[in-house]
DNA sequence: TATTGTTATACTCTATAACTATA
DNA sequence: TATAGTTATAGAGTATAACAATA
């Protein structure tokens, strides 16, 4: 089963690298093997969803709006007030060096605070300011609208299955060897 | 139905911004609303798949390997030999300015050629060199392996449905208003 | 020694605006 | 005028390596 799927992809392109319709008819928009690849569809969909988020959520907030990544930071700090930067990085699955600039921006905008951690002077405890909580709440309603736009056409069952399938693909991709 | 889905997300976080378990138990890895969002799961999955591609395909090819984006360019040029850069951009859904650097790199590596277009001296006809075709074919077998890794755990039916759901989400996200 | 945060650097991907040459 | 390609610039995301301060 597994072999057949992979084989289809290879055969389709190796045997017929320049499919009938496109060139002969003057069209030049044939995507070759790409439409059959999970990775490619994932990338295109993610790109479209990212763009929709930028339109719906970024720029629609009074000050400057939140990027998808910034919203993610606020969501995790809200759920885990006082967490350390390295814990934030672990939660988001990114390196601690990546967190620094992200927190810097939110701190400069007065949405997030770095506080001392009682018994560890190396670390910073992250919390939302009052303003940060207000911005997060307003962003959340926009994010809900955004989610309704991109996934509102799916039934609840389809939406669940999409999340399930994405989770399985993600875990498979993270498998080491 | 649509409202209920969006409502769940908002309610879950607004009412219970700092869920029971995480903070009380000392854990600091609660993701808050994020795990319920299609957009967030899409982003994490895409990131994981991108990383797996880099390990499996990039760097495993003699010279320097192909990034996901570079493989996409080769795949489209293979399927539409002689197409113009702007057509390549349209096919990939990116701006023509983005294509320039992508083609530059592949041309510098001797994988792609810019040829004159008969009756339009503004345009360039893109084709793969013999070396480009060899690299593409070898990359394709690695991409098949990559796809088997990330989607091999899905049944053919599940794989089809994932592609269908991604396509529907992508189209919904691209809807203008 | 190991961990937290930081900085410097580098890479992928994307776009807009302004320019040249050509249609 | 409009289109194809280019350049400059910007900004989203990501990482590694080396360092200081602290545990």
């Amino acid at each position: 089963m597994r072999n057949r799927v992979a084989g289809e992809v290879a055969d389709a392109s190796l045997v017929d690298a320049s499919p009938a319709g496109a060139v002969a008819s003057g069209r030049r928009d044939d995507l070759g093997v790409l439409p059959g690849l999970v990775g490619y569809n994932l990338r295109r969909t993610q790109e479209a969803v990212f763009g929709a988020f930028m339109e719906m959520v970024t720029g629609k907030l009074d000050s400057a709006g939140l990027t998808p990544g910034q919203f993610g930071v606020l969501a995790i700090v809200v759920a885990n007030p006082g967490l350390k930067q390295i814990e934030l990085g672990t939660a988001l699955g990114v390196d601690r060096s990546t967190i620094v600039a992200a927190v810097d921006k939110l701190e400069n905008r007065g949405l997030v605070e770095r506080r001392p951690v009682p018994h560890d002077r190396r670390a910073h405890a992250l919390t939302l300011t009052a303003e940060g909580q207000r911005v997060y709440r307003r962003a959340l309603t926009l994010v809900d609208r955004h989610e309704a736009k991109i996934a509102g056409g799916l039934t609840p069952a389809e939406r669940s299955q999409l999340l399930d399938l994405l989770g399985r693909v993600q875990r498979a991709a993270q498998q080491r060897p």
Side-chain angles (χ1 to χ4, degrees), chain A:
Chain A
M1 215 52 99
R2 182 168 317 188
N3 288 337
R4 201 180 154 275
V5 171
E8 280 180 352
V9 170
D11 294 342
S13 56
L14 289 173
V15 170
D16 186 14
S18 176
V23 176
S25 73
R27 278 188 289 108
R28 289 291 164 79
D29 55 351
D30 191 277
L31 294 179
V33 278
L34 303 182
L37 302 178
V38 170
Y40 179 72
N41 285 276
L42 217 34
R43 180 184 154 278
R44 289 296 297 263
T45 304
Q46 207 278 323
E47 189 61 35
V49 168
F50 190 97
F53 188 104
M54 292 295 253
E55 283 182 6
M56 183 83 77
V57 184
T58 313
K60 289 257 175 113
L61 248 35
D62 297 6
S63 40
L66 299 172
T67 65
Q70 290 170 338
F71 174 77
V73 169
L74 296 191
I76 293 193
V77 176
V78 159
N80 309 275
L83 88 170
K84 294 185 284 187
Q85 289 185 190
I86 197 163
E87 293 171 324
L88 175 58
T90 300
L92 285 171
V94 300
D95 192 82
R96 62 190 196 277
S97 66
T98 302
I99 294 298
V100 178
V103 172
D104 280 351
K105 273 189 195 167
L106 294 172
E107 192 180 41
N108 290 338
R109 286 179 54 188
L111 306 182
V112 164
E113 270 184 351
R114 284 173 163 114
R115 293 186 177 175
V117 171
H119 297 293
D120 188 345
R121 290 192 302 176
R122 298 170 304 179
H124 295 156
L126 301 176
T127 56
L128 291 201
T129 62
E131 172 68 1
Q133 290 178 32
R134 276 192 294 272
V135 169
Y136 175 70
R137 283 203 187 82
R138 284 190 295 135
L140 201 49
T141 73
L142 295 177
V143 168
D144 284 347
R145 240 177 271 169
H146 167 251
E147 281 281 313
K149 175 181 180 175
I150 67 171
L154 310 187
T155 67
E158 287 173 330
R159 194 172 169 286
S160 294
Q161 189 170 17
L162 176 56
L163 296 184
D164 171 65
L165 292 170
L166 289 175
R168 287 162 63 190
V169 169
Q170 182 184 337
R171 283 186 294 276
Q174 283 164 344
Q175 218 73 20
R176 263 306 127 211

